[in-house]
Amino acid sequence: MTVAVHVPEELSARIPVEQRGAGLQRDAVRLLLSHGCEVSHHAFVELPRLLRAGDLLVVNTSPTLAAAVDGRAGHARVVVHFSTRGDDGRWAVELRDPDGKGTTRARAGGPAGLEVRLPGGVRLVLEEPVSARGDRLWWARVSGAGVLGLLREHGRPIRYSYTERDQPLSVYQTVFALPTADGAGSAEMPSAARPFTARLVAELVSRGVQFAPITLHTGVASAEVHEPPYPERFSVPEASARLINAARAGDGRVVAVGTTAVRAVESAAGPDGVVRAREGWTDLVVTPERGVRVVDGLLTGLHEPEASHLLMLEAIAGRAAIDRSYEEALRGLYLWHEFGDVHLILP
C-alpha cells in the first residue's frame, strides 16, 4: 500500500521546532487528529484535552546513539551507520557514501571481506548480508575497540539529506529516553515522542492519563527503498504488560507513541490479545492482513508515501482514513520527518 500523494520538498522539517523561533519548545509542533475519516487540526499542546482519564500511552525508552562514524574503505571515504548489535557480538551496519554536504547517499552493499578503517585503530570487516531481501545491511565483525566506546568518542547522530545541519545528540533524545545497562540504544530516534516535554507529561498525568514504558532499539531505516523493518531487540516489562491489560479491561484506550511502540506491544501480545512480559528479538511486521490485537490508537509522525510504516497505520485506522488524513496534512502544509508535525489516530 502506498498513499497516493507526493510530498513537496518544502514540507520536510529541516531543523527542530525549538530552533525555528525564540521561546519555542519541542511541543510547538502541530497535531493532526484522525477519528476514522474525520480529521481536525490542533496544536500538540492540546494533547491532554484530546485524551481522557484512563487512556494509556505506551512510550519507548530507548536512547538514541551517535550511530554514524566516518571511515575509509581502501582509499574511499565512507560513512558507517551502526544499526543493531547481534547476539554473537557482530553489528549490522550500512555503508554510505558522503555527499559533500554533511549527509550521505546510498552505496552498493558489500562485498564480503571488505575492510573499513575507523578512528582509533578500529577495524570493521563485512561478513554477510543481514537478510536475503537485499544487501543494504551487512553483519560486520569489529576489532580494536568496543563499538559503543567508538560511537561515544567519534560518532554523531545519523542525519538525512532533508535536514539543514548537524545537530547535537541531545536534540535526538526524547524525554522518555533512559540509559541502558549495556549501553545499547537506537540507531535512529523514536521520533514520535520528540514533541513531549516534562511539563506536558506532568499535565497528562494530572488528567489521569497513564504511561507504560517499553523498549525497542530501532535500527537504521531504509531512506531510499523503504524496506520493512529488520528484526529489532525489544522488551515489554511486567509492570507495563499489567498496565496495558488493565486499560483494555477498563474503558481506557491504549495509544502507542510511535510505530516502535506498536511493534513491541504487538510482539508481546498473544492471539487472545493479552500482553505478557517479553524480551528478545521481534521480526513482526504489522500489516492490514495481520491487524492489531492490543493497540487502539497511535501517535506518529508523517511518513513518506512509500514507507512500510503506512501498512501499520492502515492496520490501525483503515485505508480510507489514512488517505483522508494525508490529503489533509498536505493541504494544511504539515511538516514531515523526525523534526516535523505529528498525527494522532484514535478509534
Side-chain angles (χ1 to χ4, degrees):
M1 170 242 179
T2 56
V3 173
V5 297
H6 166 69
V7 182
E9 225 174 272
E10 60 268 22
L11 293 186
S12 292
R14 302 192 181 284
I15 56 173
V17 65
E18 64 272 21
Q19 296 175 15
R20 291 179 212 151
L24 294 178
Q25 302 292 318
R26 286 183 175 213
D27 56 14
V29 295
R30 300 166 69 196
L31 184 150
L32 185 76
L33 173 62
S34 294
H35 265 301
C37 288
E38 286 181 27
V39 177
S40 55
H41 303 273
H42 304 269
F44 185 75
V45 291
E46 294 175 61
L47 181 65
R49 294 192 290 282
L50 300 175
L51 299 175
R52 58 188 189 223
D55 285 346
L56 181 71
L57 292 174
V58 182
V59 296
N60 188 357
T61 63
S62 178
T64 308
L65 301 175
V69 181
D70 292 322
R72 284 194 174 270
H75 297 298
R77 291 175 57 226
V78 296
V79 178
V80 181
H81 287 175
F82 284 87
S83 182
T84 307
R85 182 170 59 186
D87 291 335
D88 60 1
R90 295 186 300 175
W91 277 79
V93 300
E94 179 184 23
L95 266 54
R96 311 265 303 178
D97 288 325
D99 63 3
K101 305 172 193 165
T103 52
T104 60
R105 56 178 174 260
R107 79 192 295 279
L114 178 72
E115 182 179 276
V116 180
R117 302 188 306 284
L118 297 169
V122 178
R123 292 280 192 278
L124 177 154
V125 178
L126 299 185
E127 292 192 346
E128 60 184 331
V130 169
S131 164
R133 287 205 309 259
D135 64 353
R136 182 177 66 87
L137 286 179
W138 282 68
W139 286 116
R141 188 80 58 185
V142 181
S143 59
V147 169
L148 295 170
L150 172 78
L151 300 186
R152 278 193 299 273
E153 198 164 336
H154 300 287
R156 62 184 179 276
I158 289 174
R159 180 187 152 205
Y160 290 117
S161 58
Y162 49 77
T163 57
E164 194 172 285
R165 55 179 177 265
D166 283 351
Q167 298 284 350
L169 185 59
S170 58
V171 163
Y172 291 89
Q173 302 296 5
T174 74
V175 74
F176 304 112
L178 294 172
T180 56
D182 61 357
S186 288
E188 296 184 1
M189 169 177 56
S191 56
R194 192 182 189 280
F196 284 86
T197 59
R199 185 201 62 77
L200 193 77
V201 170
E203 186 181 347
L204 285 159
V205 170
S206 74
R207 288 172 175 262
V209 175
Q210 292 186 293
F211 290 83
I214 57 88
T215 304
L216 185 138
H217 298 314
T218 183
V220 176
S222 156
E224 286 83 19
V225 292
H226 301 293
E227 308 149 325
Y230 287 84
E232 293 167 322
R233 196 187 295 275
F234 81 105
S235 169
V236 176
E238 179 66 44
S240 293
R242 282 203 302 269
L243 282 168
I244 293 165
N245 293 330
R248 286 176 54 76
D251 59 358
R253 297 171 295 185
V254 177
V255 179
V257 177
T259 57
T260 60
V262 177
R263 196 180 199 202
V265 167
E266 292 292 327
S267 297
D272 55 1
V274 175
V275 176
R276 295 169 178 87
R278 265 195 75 189
E279 62 179 45
W281 292 86
T282 176
D283 58 2
L284 176 67
V285 178
V286 177
T287 62
E289 292 72 35
R290 191 266 186 191
V292 286
R293 296 169 178 169
V294 177
V295 171
D296 301 305
L298 172 63
L299 180 75
T300 184
L302 292 161
H303 301 283
E304 292 281 10
E306 308 84 12
S308 61
H309 290 313
L310 287 170
L311 291 168
M312 179 185 290
L313 272 62
E314 186 184 343
I316 294 168
R319 173 69 187 266
I322 299 306
D323 282 349
R324 172 91 176 90
S325 59
Y326 271 61
E327 286 164 12
E328 275 296 306
L330 282 171
R331 192 175 295 120
L333 303 180
Y334 279 69
L335 295 180
W336 258 250
H337 303 303
E338 68 266 32
F339 298 142
D341 298 315
V342 289
H343 181 199
L344 176 61
I345 299 167
L346 291 177

